[in-house]
Amino acid sequence: MKYMLDSKHAAAPLRRRTPKTVFIALATTVLAISAFAGPRILGDAGRASAPTGHAQESSVPPPVAASREYTQPEHPVAKTIATAAPAALNPHPPRVDDPAPGIDWQTHEVRRGDTLGRIFSEFSLGIGLASRIVEHETADVLKKLMPGHRMSLGFGPDGALVQLRYELDRTDEIVVRFEDSQLVAANRRRIPTGIRERTASQTIGSSLFRAASRAGLSDRLVMQLVSIFGWDIDFALDIRSGDRFSILYEERFRNGREVGSGDIIAAEFVNDGTVYRAVRHIDEDGHKAYFDLDGNNLRGTFLKTPMRVSRVTSGFSKRRYHPVLKKWRAHRGVDYGAPTGTPVLATGDGRIHSIGRNGGYGNTVVLKHGGQYSTLYAHLSGFKKGLGKGSKVKQGEVIGYVGATGLVTGPHLHYEFRVNGQHRNPLTYETPRAQPIAERYRDTFLAMARDRISQLSDTRPEQVASR
Ligand SMILES: [Zn+2]
């Protein structure tokens, strides 16, 4: 026997949405913005580049493990940054102090009509050497150069040519090595994909996405930022003009060209004067999570809302006039108005305790989460196929669909959240956090986290001087 849409007894305002909800709302915004602004060039905003002091770049070690192989012919943007190891799975890659010991790289973009001989003469290199290269069985592709492709020439400390690299396509290159002006080897290989770290920082004026775009961030990175802090900040409702963010993130590149953004490594978000910080940790199994500087998990164990897009139509209250029973009674859950058939999501990992008809509740699912918590979803039109008593469900998984079964006046979801059997208001209850950083990683993480956050300090937008 329960509750229904009742506009008279409206509705605690929806204070937070789940990260998923925000995702959808923001995804829509992204589309709208992209459609409006057209394609934009990433990484072109001044603030996006790494300050030299803290800049760092890592590249996946190429097949040949000589230290020279870390060297990437770099275009100017890439130059601000240094090199290290496979950071994809290593949050703290070793640093290589001098990525290009003594090699000076000159990059030439092939123009229409260019030949190797012409390029060599521009660099005052012998034509004879150019013709020996194009006679080589692997390097003979250099006979016909493709306009727009890049050739990089590496010169040793004495000014002699030591290496030539030529991009065949987006993934492969020809590498030719020289000693004493003689060709010693030429081979074709995958262009090593590097990961470099960059920072970006911006104060939010009218919208997070506009600010992110000014900082040169991809939509993917913004989504990640939103999902990291989405447990603490409602990005749809809480963002204020003057809020700001700084992030340290990975960028994937080949030959100095960005080929996509990687993960956020560390981030700081100031929302309405409150500072939130997050640092990535990857454990030895490759599991990734974000923690604050005390090692607390940023992720909550329960979504605030059991639907992707929702509207609270009746809040949790001690006394509410029941529109069907015509009586005053407690409303020990929250009602979300939504059309019949709208997916209902499990708010936490758990097991199905009961599923089926349940009097005035109509079609109802009750989930148990660990020992203390349970959640209830009522008035459903139907259940997700394949679920039964005892089934395991994951947070965010669809368990059923909004309906109007039981004692109701219209379709909505009635949602209850109980702690040790006591009803709690899901809109205000401080849900517990996911596990903090594991003890065995703790010390290393805390030191690393401070270090990572300090890398952000140089890029924070300027503070107004204190008076
Ligand atoms: Zn209700």
Side-chain angles (χ1 to χ4, degrees), residues 357-379:
R357 275 269 178 196
N358 183 0
Y361 278 100
N363 289 325
T364 301
V365 176
V366 176
L367 300 180
K368 285 273 190 196
H369 313 272
Q372 297 177 64
Y373 302 96
S374 65
T375 53
L376 176 147
Y377 312 75
H379 310 313

Side-chain angles (χ1 to χ4, degrees), residues 3-4 320 331 334-335 379 412 414:
Y3 318 106
M4 53 260 350
R320 180 186 77 149
H331 185 227
V334 172
D335 290 349
H379 310 313
H412 73 280
H414 171 85

